[in-house]
Amino acid sequence: MRMNKRHEGHEITNMCKWMASVGLVVGTALFLLSFIANAYNKDYFLTIISLGIIGASMFMFGFGLFMGLLTETYHRGPRENV
């Protein structure tokens, strides 16, 4: 199934937005849990993991936004620039 060239950049951006928002919710939940769970967080393991998930989600959103914009402008011809 071939995607429509006009909306291909929007699909990539929406997918990365969804994945980044799930990662931010999971990372924030783990970060808040790391303050409560003292027995598991002896070496700040949950804090490090949660901050890593949050950072990866932000990087994924930025990269996905860049790829979506790049795809959107690449498929647009020189006459379609409005």
Side-chain angles (χ1 to χ4, degrees):
M1 183 172 167
R2 178 113 169 103
M3 282 197 298
N4 189 0
K5 285 186 180 182
R6 181 181 173 110
H7 299 292
E8 192 171 350
H10 295 293
E11 294 291 326
I12 294 171
T13 305
N14 286 336
M15 179 187 63
C16 288
K17 226 187 319 188
W18 182 79
M19 289 171 57
S21 63
V22 168
L24 282 175
V25 167
V26 169
T28 305
L30 279 176
F31 186 72
L32 293 176
L33 181 69
S34 70
F35 290 121
I36 298 169
N38 289 333
Y40 295 116
N41 202 20
K42 202 182 300 183
D43 296 327
Y44 300 106
F45 183 71
L46 280 177
T47 307
I48 293 169
I49 293 296
S50 65
L51 290 176
I53 291 173
I54 291 172
S57 297
M58 291 183 342
F59 179 76
M60 184 183 309
F61 176 72
F63 186 72
L65 183 67
F66 173 73
M67 290 303 292
L69 289 174
L70 187 66
T71 305
E72 188 78 21
T73 56
Y74 178 72
H75 286 304
R76 187 177 293 181
R79 289 181 229 134
E80 295 180 29
N81 290 336
V82 177

